[in-house]
Amino acid sequence: RALKLGAEELSLDVEPPDPQEPVAWRPVAALCLASCAHFYSVCSIFSYAGIMSTELGWAADRDSAGTFAGFLQSANVLGRMPTATFWGWYSDRFGAKSGLCWSMALIGLGNVLFGLVSDRNLAVIIRFVVLGMGNGWVTIFCPFAMDLAGAQQQVKLTSVVFSAGTLAQLFGPAVGGWTY
């Protein structure tokens, strides 16, 4: 396989998997778990962010709590923008598996730190730096899926993994609200 970039041609030395062979279930299960962790870190805050903002004194009243709750979530998503290229570079240089492990460790650490913080500014920093900049899932997942399943089964693998993430989107706010 070769990828043509302008006048240069980039050769990939990886042999594509046989489309008739089943995809190994352990890496798929790990990807499903990573997808759940990613989507949980993104959406579990929806159910309690407004209440938490007023209870901790981060927002003056209920009317401004919604704005600050939206700002908390935006900090997470904005944090991913400057580091997407870094996660792609890291994945190419050290491997998608290593990048995925670091990304998931940072998501876990960020969720724990965010749960322990009571300072408004520190909460935004944690959401931006640890949960946003440390989240390389979106950048790393597709090349990892291509390596694991090949072009013929990539769509199937992607749909299974994102379906698992959808479960976290569905139940994440309920679990987040219940544990708050």
Side-chain angles (χ1 to χ4, degrees):
R1 296 184 317 184
L3 177 67
K4 194 157 189 167
L5 301 171
E8 298 177 19
E9 189 173 295
L10 178 65
S11 168
L12 301 175
D13 294 334
V14 178
E15 276 296 315
D18 182 12
Q20 302 304 320
E21 281 187 35
V23 178
W25 69 270
R26 281 186 177 171
V28 172
L31 287 178
C32 288
L33 186 63
S35 183
C36 287
H38 162 75
F39 283 112
Y40 181 81
S41 76
V42 170
C43 69
S44 66
I45 193 173
F46 294 156
S47 60
Y48 62 85
I51 296 167
M52 180 181 71
S53 298
T54 55
E55 285 182 357
L56 292 176
W58 297 348
D61 55 15
R62 289 177 57 191
D63 292 333
S64 61
T67 302
F68 188 72
F71 187 66
L72 280 173
Q73 181 53 30
S74 296
N76 181 347
V77 176
L78 285 173
R80 283 192 244 156
M81 290 173 59
T83 58
T85 304
F86 165 76
W87 282 111
W89 170 84
Y90 185 92
S91 178
D92 286 343
R93 174 116 178 152
F94 300 105
K97 187 176 181 181
S98 172
L100 191 61
C101 289
W102 275 109
S103 179
M104 291 301 111
L106 288 170
I107 288 174
L109 176 67
N111 280 322
V112 169
L113 290 176
F114 183 74
L116 297 174
V117 73
S118 59
D119 180 62
R120 171 186 175 154
N121 295 331
L122 194 54
V124 172
I125 290 170
I126 289 170
R127 296 285 296 175
F128 181 80
V129 174
V130 184
L131 286 170
M133 296 176 89
N135 189 344
W137 168 251
V138 176
T139 306
I140 296 171
F141 170 66
C142 286
F144 195 82
M146 182 65 137
D147 289 344
L148 185 62
Q152 276 70 19
Q153 295 186 12
Q154 182 184 14
V155 173
K156 191 185 306 182
L157 175 69
T158 305
S159 65
V160 168
V161 172
F162 278 124
S163 294
T166 302
L167 289 175
Q169 284 180 313
L170 182 64
F171 294 112
V175 171
W178 177 64
T179 57
Y180 179 73

